[in-house]
Amino acid sequence: MQKKLKWGLLASGFLCALIFLTIRPKPVYPAPEIRAKILEEIASADEGITRLAPDNSGTMIAFKGNIQGEPAGPADEGYTIGLVDLRTLEATNLPATYFPKFVGDWSPDDRYLAFVRNYTIPAGDTISNVSPVYERIGLYDRSNGSVSDLTSVSEIKERELTWLGDRDYIVAVLSDKENQRGFYRSRVGSESRTQVTRFWNKLTMVYPDTGAFARNQQIYLLDVGAGQTNGLKWDGGTDGAQKVSNFDNDVVGGIEWLNYCAGSSNYLFCARPRESNWRYLFQYDPMTTKLTQLSFEDTYNGQWLLDGGGYAYVINTNSTFYLAIRTFDRTGNTNLFTDGNVILYRASPDGQRVYAVASLGCEPHGIWEYTVTNRALRKVYSGMGTPFEASKPADTTAFLLPSFDKVQLPCFLLEPRQKQELAEVAANAWYRNVRRPKFPCVIHIPASTYQFQRRFEHQAQLFANFGFYFAAINYRGCDGYGKEFSKLANAENAAKDVLELREWLLANTDVDPDNIFLTTTSGGLAVVNQLLIQQPELWAGVAMDKPGSIHINPRFEPGQIPPILGIFGGQDSLFDLQAMNSFADWAKTNDVIFRYVIHTNSSHITHSAAHRKDILKQMSDFFFEHLR
């Protein structure tokens, strides 16, 4: 009897050990109330800070964004303009400047700040139900705190304002109901405008009444003085536009970010040589016609420093962006934010300082000031909204993945926060290796023109904090990797790229093969459609943020299509309400789960903090609901 009992106990112990070794524990997700706090913290971070505008005195910087806790006009319907006092670091909003598209420049005396804002005129009962969107320049008057419009014309699209003096300006008009497009000269407070040209380009001022612009891969000078009233048409450089370069098109192509320096009388610009895969920074001396290549990496947005004694530019390496500071005597050479990310930057008018929307690591972006002369770096505004208590920024790992045809694909991976926490508390390495749970995964498929970057990204951080792996792939055809990579654009092959990433995840991580979800935005929908055609059964669900529109594909197999969430913008010009309703009817008839949300007052790009938070909530709720 004792022998039988002994063998029974041994058998039971062996069975328990076998179960322990073979059955993995399920991942533990944050409780609903903790998830709500994580959502609030992450959604409020990094409020889309764009278009920095340092003033001429070095005491104030303006930007498009939202100062947390400050009023912002019609709450949550869009960004406003924030101001940071560089002496006290006090930050405030300008409440009457909601819906800004971008911030312009301060007038030379720092009294006025120009900015462009979107506004709509109700379309009435139209088929598209999309109101026309116009762009009007506003002025913030620093002397009294007031905000006014540059003109009373309503149906107008104004774009760039260039100051000619403390009150005089030239403005680029794309179109309006009464006038032709082109450059117009006027003065603050006057409704009268003089048309200078019937075309427009971004100007960099060379003399008080002369600006330079780039067109057709050359540099031209344009007289914008008060005497120019003939409405100059573009005819290749005559009748008022003077050509000052004669570049070989094989050497210089597609000039961008043209900047003039009065101290050196030289130009700085980015361009892509015809046979090059990358864009480089060039210096051009119009007196000697000498052209000098200054950078040899993929380069963005060169700006002058120290009155021509140096320059700055952004370097891109595999969608990792950092800031290069260079001086011609080489004493000031340095690279900033190499372990983080730079979204944009702006040199101060005197070239002594550089302001950047950047991060040192994976934390939310803030505004940083770098003084070139003493090499001092300080943060002047934090992009952190609600302080992180329940959340923890997750590191982003970048790697290259060979696809089915050996094309190298830039990929990014964030691990679930819970995995790291399990590793930290596990008793020993044996336990960690044997008893690791499988985690769900989100694969993000971006639009080809908006590639994923190693930076704080709301969707990625949210899912990593919720207990998901988050992987992103810049499939063939995405921008940022040279023209040869862009030429490979093909939705069917891009879908195969995503399948290669899925296989890599299953072989190299603890991803649960039954719970892999897809997210996409804009043009990434074409790749998702191919995945739903090729292998729809592999996906636990799909979430589409502003895909434009969604259509019935005759190659979809209804019994195989996973649950789909669509989030659309009511003011998105690409949104087809009728097509979406048709897809909803098709889904209902064929037992396909299709849920949709339409955000009113939202265009193809999400500008509203409230909409962004809702997008994150809708996606995460949807995926938790459809975990297998």
Side-chain angles (χ1 to χ4, degrees):
M1 181 62 122
Q2 289 183 346
K3 278 190 174 183
K4 287 184 178 181
L5 181 60
K6 181 180 179 181
W7 283 110
L9 290 173
L10 286 172
S12 298
F14 177 78
L15 182 60
C16 290
L18 184 64
I19 292 173
F20 180 83
L21 290 169
T22 57
I23 298 179
R24 288 177 179 263
K26 290 188 176 295
V28 178
Y29 304 108
E33 62 272 16
I34 301 300
R35 279 172 33 200
K37 188 168 180 57
I38 291 172
L39 173 65
E40 179 66 34
E41 292 172 1
I42 290 178
S44 69
D46 195 13
E47 283 288 332
I49 306 168
T50 59
R51 292 300 290 256
L52 302 174
D55 68 3
N56 297 280
S57 63
T59 61
M60 184 81 69
I61 188 168
F63 62 93
K64 171 185 166 183
N66 272 335
I67 307 297
Q68 292 297 320
E70 290 286 321
D76 296 325
E77 289 301 327
Y79 296 123
T80 183
I81 290 175
L83 295 177
V84 176
D85 188 319
L86 295 172
R87 297 159 297 188
T88 65
L89 301 189
E90 180 183 0
T92 56
N93 275 336
L94 298 182
T97 57
Y98 48 87
F99 295 115
K101 186 166 185 176
F102 57 80
V103 178
D105 293 323
W106 294 89
S107 58
D109 62 355
D110 282 341
R111 176 175 175 178
Y112 294 106
L113 173 68
F115 61 93
V116 177
R117 63 182 173 193
N118 289 337
Y119 69 100
T120 60
I121 296 177
D125 296 326
T126 62
I127 295 176
S128 66
N129 201 34
V130 175
S131 301
V133 178
Y134 297 96
E135 299 172 8
R136 181 186 292 174
I137 289 181
L139 291 178
Y140 162 63
D141 189 337
R142 194 173 179 176
S143 66
N144 56 30
S146 66
V147 174
S148 60
D149 289 317
L150 197 63
T151 177
S152 61
V153 178
S154 57
E155 299 181 23
I156 193 171
K157 284 192 174 183
E158 297 173 314
R159 182 59 58 85
E160 299 280 351
L161 183 144
T162 303
W163 293 102
L164 304 178
D166 291 343
R167 302 294 175 269
D168 294 327
Y169 65 83
I170 185 168
V171 61
V173 176
L174 275 67
S175 64
D176 66 33
K177 206 167 186 180
E178 301 175 0
N179 299 302
Q180 297 175 332
R181 63 183 290 159
F183 279 126
Y184 290 79
R185 180 168 178 147
S186 188
R187 184 175 175 84
V188 174
S190 172
E191 282 286 338
S192 175
R193 291 181 169 182
T194 300
Q195 186 173 16
V196 177
T197 69
R198 298 182 190 177
F199 68 92
W200 76 274
N201 287 79
K202 185 172 178 58
L203 286 179
T204 177
M205 296 309 296
V206 177
Y207 307 113
D209 285 326
T210 304
F213 66 92
R215 192 151 179 161
N216 293 350
Q217 304 176 93
Q218 303 296 336
I219 300 173
Y220 295 85
L221 291 178
L222 177 67
D223 184 354
V224 296
Q228 293 292 329
T229 59
N230 61 349
L232 172 69
K233 293 182 179 179
W234 175 255
D235 61 0
T238 60
D239 296 335
Q242 177 188 353
K243 186 177 176 182
V244 295
S245 67
N246 190 28
F247 299 136
D248 185 332
N249 290 347
D250 289 336
V251 177
V252 174
I255 294 176
E256 297 181 77
W257 298 295
L258 179 68
N259 284 288
Y260 179 77
C261 177
S264 63
S265 301
N266 280 201
Y267 294 93
L268 199 66
F269 60 86
C270 290
R272 188 196 308 271
R274 186 184 299 275
E275 299 302 322
S276 172
N277 207 25
W278 307 109
R279 181 190 296 112
Y280 303 118
L281 185 65
F282 292 90
Q283 176 185 6
Y284 176 64
D285 185 340
M287 299 299 294
T288 64
T289 69
K290 182 181 179 181
L291 181 68
T292 305
Q293 182 174 332
L294 298 176
S295 74
F296 297 87
E297 313 94 344
D298 189 29
T299 305
Y300 293 78
N301 191 8
Q303 296 184 30
W304 288 109
L305 303 175
L306 305 174
D307 201 25
Y311 53 94
Y313 61 97
V314 173
I315 297 174
N316 170 29
T317 57
N318 292 324
S319 279
T320 299
F321 296 83
Y322 59 94
L323 185 61
I325 305 293
R326 302 288 183 264
T327 56
F328 286 110
D329 63 9
R330 301 195 176 188
T331 59
N333 289 4
T334 190
N335 295 325
L336 302 175
F337 312 109
T338 53
D339 294 325
N341 180 265
V342 174
I343 295 180
L344 57 93
Y345 81 100
R346 185 83 181 270
S348 62
D350 63 6
Q352 300 289 319
R353 296 170 302 282
V354 174
Y355 296 91
V357 179
S359 63
L360 296 177
C362 60
E363 79 280 4
H365 295 82
I367 300 177
W368 294 80
E369 177 191 74
Y370 180 74
T371 304
V372 182
T373 50
N374 64 7
R375 308 184 72 173
L377 180 68
R378 66 166 180 158
K379 182 183 281 189
V380 298
Y381 176 73
S382 173
M384 190 82 75
T386 304
F388 279 16
E389 296 175 353
S391 311
K392 181 180 179 181
D395 290 331
T396 302
T397 301
F399 62 98
L400 291 175
L401 175 69
S403 192
F404 64 94
D405 56 358
K406 309 304 180 185
V407 171
Q408 296 291 311
L409 305 171
C411 297
F412 304 84
L413 182 67
L414 290 80
E415 291 189 336
R417 174 180 165 186
Q418 288 76 0
K419 178 184 176 184
Q420 181 63 33
E421 290 173 350
L422 280 173
E424 291 171 357
V425 302
N428 52 57
W430 176 83
Y431 178 86
R432 290 198 300 271
N433 292 330
V434 174
R435 296 281 293 168
R436 294 178 306 192
K438 292 284 190 180
F439 295 90
C441 178
V442 172
I443 296 179
H444 179 63
I445 303 170
S448 63
T449 54
Y450 195 68
Q451 75 273 29
F452 192 87
Q453 299 178 21
R454 193 193 71 185
R455 51 173 283 189
F456 183 91
E457 204 281 336
H458 296 88
Q459 189 185 128
Q461 293 292 333
L462 184 80
F463 280 110
N465 273 269
F466 277 0
F468 288 65
Y469 275 95
F470 187 94
I473 180 169
N474 290 336
Y475 50 86
R476 66 190 66 216
C478 281
D479 287 352
Y481 302 98
K483 63 181 182 181
E484 294 303 319
F485 192 81
S486 296
K487 287 179 181 178
L488 298 176
N490 178 288
E492 186 173 343
N493 285 337
K496 294 178 182 178
D497 293 341
V498 177
L499 293 174
E500 290 287 343
L501 175 59
R502 180 184 181 275
E503 290 303 312
W504 183 91
L505 289 168
L506 295 179
N508 294 276
T509 71
D510 295 318
V511 164
D512 182 352
D514 294 326
N515 283 303
I516 300 179
F517 298 85
L518 300 175
T519 64
T520 192
T521 185
S522 190
L525 178 61
V527 181
V528 169
N529 281 339
Q530 283 297 320
L531 289 167
L532 296 182
I533 291 169
Q534 293 180 26
Q535 290 189 276
E537 73 283 355
L538 297 181
W539 319 111
V542 179
M544 307 170 179
D545 173 24
K546 309 293 177 55
S549 195
I550 185 169
H551 298 272
I552 301 167
N553 193 308
R555 297 173 64 190
F556 286 168
E557 296 183 25
Q560 299 291 323
I561 301 298
I564 297 175
L565 169 68
I567 302 173
F568 303 91
Q571 292 294 317
D572 187 347
S573 60
L574 302 177
F575 175 49
D576 188 331
L577 179 62
Q578 185 175 356
M580 190 208 69
N581 286 331
S582 297
F583 186 88
D585 292 340
W586 173 87
K588 185 176 181 180
T589 301
N590 291 279
D591 293 325
V592 174
I593 297 174
F594 175 59
R595 187 180 303 164
Y596 64 86
V597 177
I598 301 175
H599 285 155
T600 58
N601 258 348
S602 182
S603 60
H604 196 60
I605 305 297
T606 299
H607 296 289
S608 163
H611 287 165
R612 180 173 64 194
K613 181 179 177 181
D614 187 62
I615 290 168
L616 295 173
K617 186 177 189 305
Q618 293 283 351
M619 284 186 174
S620 56
D621 286 352
F622 191 74
F623 288 173
F624 272 114
E625 179 184 341
H626 293 286
L627 282 171
R628 295 169 176 171

